[in-house]
């Protein structure tokens, strides 16, 4: 019992962090469509490309992606590829008719490497041999559900799902025969579940279950922090070529919402200039999103401390006198 209580010590902090802060009006939304395929039950990653939408189920599914017609919500294609999935969580565009699939989940923090695979999507059923690459953080394992692909350079970035999210850059050229080392870049929105570039290539949006943050790219200066509309378990985000933002959720027959950035945010994005590529040295993490990660730190910290104190008292009472 003492070991169980000690294991529960971090729980109050996590609960407090995920608990809602002051009530804010979420950004306006409408239902774009809903997934009609009964096989899509845990939509985690989302990509909007070529007039279609691509999604992938969360952990527990096989190596497959679904191509969906947003006009109907119907699945019009499924791509399968070699190997067995560990914990697929993320998608990112990979050029015409292609997406990157990120087998990046690691809830137990036990994986030495994660995998990204480039596969085609589109109408029709297909089985392919995708180009797969192993990635490593070079230190402690991380859980990640967000994969970004720079639309200008094609370079991949992984965003971890920690309380303080961290962006890692993959090498410019991936080696299929070696483990590719990821390099830390900067901190962003915590508990990140997905992200996508805006059409201008100079901004990126990253979401978690309740909020989304918009950043300049590649500086990762935060432009806006927005409350998202309620979803069953909102995880995915995609941006269409004309700038529409789509939000997907886990659950069978889940709705995909269309949202629009507030007018003041859109005006600010239009006036932001481009910047040079980010430094990829380990010291490059300058904490641009310190405010986003710490703005509401005191409620969950106090709640966590109170819960931890209660558990500590229980542990002490269980020890033999």
């Amino acid at each position: 019992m003492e070991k169980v209580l000690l294991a529960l010590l971090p729980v109050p902090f996590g609960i407090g962090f995920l608990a809602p802060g002051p009530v804010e009006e979420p950004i306006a939304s409408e239902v774009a469509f809903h997934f009609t395929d009964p096989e899509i039950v845990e939509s985690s990653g989302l990509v909007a490309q070529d007039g279609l939408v691509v999604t992938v189920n969360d952990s527990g599914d096989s190596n497959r992606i679904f191509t969906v017609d947003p006009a109907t919500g119907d699945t019009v294609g499924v791509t399968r590829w070699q190997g067995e999935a560990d914990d697929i969580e993320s998608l990112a565009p990979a050029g015409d008719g292609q997406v990157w699939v990120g087998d990046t989940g690691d809830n137990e923090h036990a994986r030495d490497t994660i995998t990204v695979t480039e596969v085609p999507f589109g109408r029709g059923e297909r089985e392919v041999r995708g180009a797969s690459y192993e990635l490593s953080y070079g230190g402690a394992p991380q859980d990640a559900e967000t994969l970004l692909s720079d639309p200008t350079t094609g370079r991949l970035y992984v965003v971890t799902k920690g309380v303080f999210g961290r962006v890692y850059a993959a090498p410019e050229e991936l080696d299929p025969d070696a483990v590719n080392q990821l390099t830390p870049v900067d901190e962003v929105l915590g508990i990140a579940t997905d992200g996508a570039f805006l059409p201008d290539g100079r901004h990126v949006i990253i979401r978690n279950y309740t909020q989304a943050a918009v950043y300049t790219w590649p500086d990762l200066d935060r432009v806006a922090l927005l409350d998202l509309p309620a979803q069953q378990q909102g995880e995915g985000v995609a941006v269409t070529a004309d700038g529409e933002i789509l939000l997907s959720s886990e659950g069978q027959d889940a709705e995909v919402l269309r949202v629009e950035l507030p007018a003041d945010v859109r005006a600010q994005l239009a006036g932001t200039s481009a910047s040079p590529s980010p430094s990829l040295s380990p010291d490059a993490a300058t904490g641009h999103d310190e405010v986003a990660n710490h703005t509401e730190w005191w409620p969950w910290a106090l709640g966590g401390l109170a819960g931890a104190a209660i558990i500590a008292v229980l542990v002490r009472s269980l020890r033999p006198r």
Side-chain angles (χ1 to χ4, degrees), residues 202-215:
R202 297 186 289 110
H203 299 91
V204 64
I205 182 170
I206 296 174
R207 72 162 294 174
N208 58 28
Y209 297 115
T210 60
Q211 293 182 309
V214 180
Y215 299 90

Side-chain angles (χ1 to χ4, degrees), residues 252-266:
Q252 195 170 27
D253 298 321
E255 294 177 341
V256 175
L257 303 181
R258 181 186 297 111
V259 299
E260 185 176 48
L261 296 176
D264 59 332
V265 175
R266 298 198 305 272

Side-chain angles (χ1 to χ4, degrees), residues 36-54:
T36 63
D37 190 339
E39 295 292 309
I40 301 176
V41 293
E42 292 186 294
S43 175
S44 183
L46 198 67
V47 164
Q49 191 171 308
D50 302 335
L52 298 169
V53 170
V54 185

Side-chain angles (χ1 to χ4, degrees), residues 55-70:
T55 193
V56 64
N57 279 326
D58 203 338
S59 59
D61 202 357
S62 58
N63 281 344
R64 62 175 176 171
I65 56 173
F66 302 85
T67 301
V68 176
D69 184 343

Side-chain angles (χ1 to χ4, degrees), residues 68-156:
V68 176
D69 184 343
T72 62
D74 297 338
T75 295
V76 295
V78 177
T79 302
R80 295 177 173 84
W81 62 97
Q82 78 283 357
E84 294 184 4
D86 191 340
D87 189 356
I88 294 176
E89 292 281 1
S90 49
L91 292 173
D96 291 340
Q98 304 277 328
V99 291
W100 287 105
V101 183
D103 194 335
T104 57
D106 190 8
N107 292 326
E108 304 298 326
H109 291 81
R111 301 178 64 176
D112 293 328
T113 62
I114 56 177
T115 304
V116 293
T117 305
E118 187 177 11
V119 298
F121 71 91
R123 297 178 183 272
E125 303 276 332
R126 68 190 80 191
E127 292 191 14
V128 302
R129 184 159 190 87
S132 292
Y133 305 88
E134 285 190 282
L135 309 176
S136 172
Y137 298 99
Q142 305 285 337
D143 184 28
E145 295 189 5
T146 304
L147 189 64
L148 299 171
S149 175
D150 188 318
T152 301
T153 65
R155 192 171 194 169
L156 289 179

